[in-house]
Amino acid sequence: MRKKIIAANWKMHMTVSEAEAFLHTFLHEIGDEAGAEVVIVPPFTALAKVSEILGRGQAAKLGAQNMHAEKSGAFTGEISAPMLRELYVRYVVLGHSERRTIFGETDEVVNRKVRAALDAALKPIVCIGETLEQRDAGQVEAVLHSQIEKGLHGLNTKELSDAVIAYEPVWAIGTGRTASPQQAQEAHAFIRKTLSEMWDAATADKVRIQYGGSVKPQNAAELMREPDIDGALVGGASLDPRGFAEIVKAAAHH
Ligand code: PGA
């Protein structure tokens, strides 16, 4: 059984004091809810404070939104895996479509970061997904296949089973337009089939595949019910502590 994993991708939102206020309410709301793994992914500036508040408790783990593939060096403005590890970061989101489109990250760049994350014992949450033009042109499977092949190139089976894949159709991110549970399930099943062909069925069966794109308290349960949807990467709706707690609860119960 794959344990559901729900991540709050705060993007460029939340100051340190806002993050503290969020956690105060959120941790109270979820109480002992242990049915799903929760990952809070704040901006870099709030990582230290969120880490301190979460401590070693199991209520939620810490994630980062990006990192550089090198350990250190002359890369002004960048953050490395060892810097994240020191703050007890466990997960790192890589290849988010905003990183790909706004900051020009290619599958090759994503792959170097995935390698660096795994080498530093950080679990990558690797984002893949098609644009609306690609969907309309019937290219969903080709796009996903290529992003998996290039982005996860070189992983052994243990590394693959530690990775999380986030299927985020670009047209559903921040648009309020969610993929239907059937559309999402179809893509997730294709992703798992591709993993089983490129690695093996037993490993593919262990990999958690999150859905992302306008997940809200109102649609979380129907998405989480699908057999190959193992959690959610939540943007906008993760900024509200009560709403995000509802999403976690919906996942814990499916
Ligand atoms: P959204 O963002 O939930 O605001 O659509 C999801 C994401 O970008 O990870």
Side-chain angles (χ1 to χ4, degrees), residues 9 11 96 98 168 172-175 212-215 233-237:
N9 174 15
K11 309 192 180 186
H96 189 280
E98 286 150 19
E168 299 207 306
I173 298 178
T175 56
S214 299
V215 174
L233 182 55
V234 188

Side-chain angles (χ1 to χ4, degrees), residues 28-99:
H28 177 77
E29 288 287 323
I30 55 167
D32 297 328
E33 190 69 70
E37 188 173 348
V38 179
V39 186
I40 304 290
V41 189
F44 293 129
T45 46
L47 282 173
K49 177 55 82 179
V50 173
S51 180
E52 184 189 315
I53 296 172
L54 297 179
R56 299 300 138 74
Q58 287 306 306
K61 292 176 183 153
L62 188 58
Q65 296 180 17
N66 181 30
M67 58 169 241
H68 196 274
E70 297 295 328
K71 289 193 181 75
S72 63
F75 301 103
T76 302
E78 294 293 316
I79 300 279
S80 73
M83 294 171 185
L84 299 176
R85 289 281 302 162
E86 192 185 25
L87 297 174
Y88 302 102
V89 170
R90 314 269 197 96
Y91 287 91
V92 59
V93 175
L94 296 175
H96 189 280
S97 71
E98 286 150 19
R99 300 292 323 166

